[in-house]
Amino acid sequence: MVSIQSRWRYLFMFLGIQLVVMALLSREGYQKRVSYFIRIFRKPDSTGRNHTVAGVSGGDVYANLSHLSKAHHHGDEMPYCPKTSPFIRGPIHVSFPSGLTLAEVQKKNPLVVRGGRYRPPDCEARHRTAIIIPHRHREHHLKFLLYYLHPFLQRQQLHYGIYIIHQAGNYTFNRAKLMNVGFREAMREEDWDCLFFHDVDLIPEDDRNTYVCDSNPKHAAIAMDKFGYKLPYKMYFGGVSALTPLHYLKMNGFPNNYWGWGGEDDDIGVRVSLSGMYITRPSLKVGRYKMIKHKLDKGNDVNPKRFNMLAKTRQTWKTDGMNTAEYETISRQYLPLYTNITVNIGTEAGLHPPSPTPPPPAKGAGKPAVKAPAVKAPAEAPAKGPAKPPAKPPAKLKEGHPESP
Ligand code: BGN
């Protein structure tokens, strides 16, 4: 028999335990305890950040994407994709395993069609985003970027295309001018509603950083590991930015005259405000990027003129930009994972700088030697002259025929 006294004792003990549990679970306490238990199930990666073991949640950028191919049913009347994609998980584990090949990336992305295009198989995408990546001698980085970017964009249920704009020749690199080329070349193919201007060495680390445009130009790479996951300075606009075609044309695109490293992104940031717009940003938690470590490239020396040029953006932005971008398209390849556009963007002296007067031929010599051109002869008809925005939105590229823009 249990006495009334001990019954009361049990009741008080029970209530006491209840109170302690409630106190632990209240507000801050609750968060801390829950995250403690979540941490137990996670393993840390080399950067010290936690990532989830594959299959539990988040973590692997390819997690759950295989469901997509199973759900493949293109019909005439596909519903719009939901406003928030069900594939979005948050933090992504990023590492750079040696031995990765493009063939493996291709195998892991069976729904990407030639030219690096993709549409969600089971719903009509709400957004059409082109990714523009200026490039030269960075094949190793490109491989990793493609490995992460394709599934990242598929998680967001976007209709997308990836364009690599490859600078031909060995003259100093010009990132911003290549972006102008990318804008024009992408827009002549499809009616993209947003363009992401993307460095080849930056890997997004959170799929809530959606690759869609805002009402104003967006700076997406706000928190990079190399800057301690913080904005290095308030006006920083480098790494990854997103503009609609209208934003882009309103600010006359990007400058063409920044040859070499530095300053062009600041010029672009200044253009945003000079043309009456402002910079938007995702949160620090979401706009995270890991940079693939590398030395300063050959052919991309620091530009010593950048300070002077930057001081004059107010005077130059209307006369140097998309309306004056001259280049020649050397080749256009529709590869399995991206569209590769190789261009001659010339030098500071122009597209075809006058060659120095050849010395008179020596007596008795045969034909005068012809100086090798700086870049290879175009394989296709070059798109010459100042780049103009397309007069009307180009016809949509038919899926399965990415070679017929
Ligand atoms: C800045 C560079 C940017 C570069 C960032 C981050 C200049 C112009 C002179 C003020 N700007 O200093 O181009 O992206 O650093 O590395 O050099």
Side-chain angles (χ1 to χ4, degrees), residues 132-136 163 165 173 175 178-179 198-200:
I132 311 290
I133 304 166
H135 179 269
R136 191 169 63 181
Y163 293 87
I165 314 297
F173 195 63
R175 176 180 180 269
L178 291 169
M179 301 291 201
H198 211 294
D199 280 357
V200 70

Side-chain angles (χ1 to χ4, degrees), residues 226-227 233 236 238 261-266 306-307 310:
K226 80 159 178 175
F227 298 129
Y233 51 94
Y236 182 55
W261 184 91
E264 86 296 341
D265 45 359
D266 302 312
R306 66 193 192 287
F307 299 98
L310 203 48

Side-chain angles (χ1 to χ4, degrees), residues 65-364:
L65 280 191
S66 55
H67 296 331
L68 274 177
S69 40
K70 285 177 200 139
H72 201 289
H73 57 79
H74 263 301
D76 289 338
E77 294 256 320
M78 262 201 303
Y80 269 110
C81 297
K83 283 200 174 133
T84 308
S85 163
F87 295 101
I88 290 192
R89 285 290 175 86
I92 289 164
H93 170 60
V94 174
S95 63
F96 307 113
S98 57
L100 177 73
T101 63
L102 275 185
E104 275 158 20
V105 181
Q106 210 180 317
K107 217 166 139 194
K108 283 185 92 66
N109 291 279
L111 300 185
V112 172
V113 297
R114 288 181 79 210
R117 312 289 171 87
Y118 173 88
R119 287 163 186 261
D122 50 355
C123 57
E124 189 67 42
R126 289 176 183 267
H127 309 277
R128 296 180 303 272
T129 299
I131 315 288
I132 311 290
I133 304 166
H135 179 269
R136 191 169 63 181
H137 307 148
R138 296 283 199 93
E139 285 71 14
H140 186 58
H141 294 175
L142 182 60
K143 195 175 58 185
F144 287 121
L145 180 61
L146 294 168
Y147 176 86
Y148 284 102
L149 208 49
H150 275 295
F152 174 89
L153 298 167
Q154 287 163 34
R155 302 190 86 75
Q156 300 182 355
Q157 295 187 308
L158 301 175
H159 167 185
Y160 70 82
I162 298 184
Y163 293 87
I164 307 299
I165 314 297
H166 185 91
Q167 181 173 337
N170 291 318
Y171 195 71
T172 313
F173 195 63
N174 188 329
R175 176 180 180 269
K177 185 166 183 181
L178 291 169
M179 301 291 201
N180 279 341
V181 174
F183 173 81
R184 184 170 189 221
E185 294 301 318
M187 290 309 294
R188 67 200 283 155
E189 287 197 341
E190 283 208 44
D191 186 14
W192 301 112
D193 55 31
C194 181
L195 295 105
F196 263 70
F197 299 93
H198 211 294
D199 280 357
V200 70
D201 53 3
L202 287 175
I203 314 290
E205 291 188 86
D206 196 303
D207 62 10
R208 290 168 294 181
N209 182 7
T210 42
Y211 275 24
V212 302
C213 277
D214 278 355
S215 56
N216 274 275
K218 175 162 86 176
H219 179 228
I222 163 169
M224 296 182 196
D225 62 344
K226 80 159 178 175
F227 298 129
Y229 289 108
K230 283 191 301 246
L231 202 58
Y233 51 94
K234 196 166 170 262
M235 288 307 291
Y236 182 55
F237 199 62
V240 181
S241 52
L243 291 91
T244 65
L246 268 180
H247 295 155
Y248 202 79
L249 295 176
K250 208 169 164 191
M251 59 195 262
N252 193 19
F254 293 178
N256 296 301
N257 296 334
Y258 283 80
W259 298 89
W261 184 91
E264 86 296 341
D265 45 359
D266 302 312
D267 186 297
I268 297 163
V270 173
R271 280 167 187 249
V272 171
S273 52
L274 287 174
S275 55
M277 300 183 283
Y278 60 87
I279 296 171
T280 69
R281 291 193 168 101
S283 74
L284 276 173
K285 193 175 70 180
V286 158
R288 292 170 70 96
Y289 285 80
K290 192 175 264 187
M291 182 178 269
I292 312 173
K293 289 189 179 68
H294 60 92
K295 300 189 191 98
L296 202 65
D297 316 81
K298 266 192 196 146
N300 193 21
D301 291 340
V302 174
N303 175 10
K305 298 182 191 160
R306 66 193 192 287
F307 299 98
N308 286 344
M309 293 171 74
L310 203 48
K312 292 191 192 117
T313 307
R314 185 177 284 276
Q315 286 96 59
T316 55
W317 74 279
K318 284 187 183 162
T319 49
D320 170 31
M322 200 60 223
N323 59 357
T324 51
E326 280 192 309
Y327 61 93
E328 288 173 351
T329 305
I330 291 177
S331 68
R332 177 187 291 268
Q333 297 166 289
Y334 295 93
L335 300 177
L337 293 169
Y338 57 92
T339 299
N340 195 22
I341 299 175
T342 303
V343 280
N344 167 21
I345 55 168
T347 71
E348 268 150 319
L351 204 52
H352 296 289
S355 46
T357 341
K363 262 188 195 167

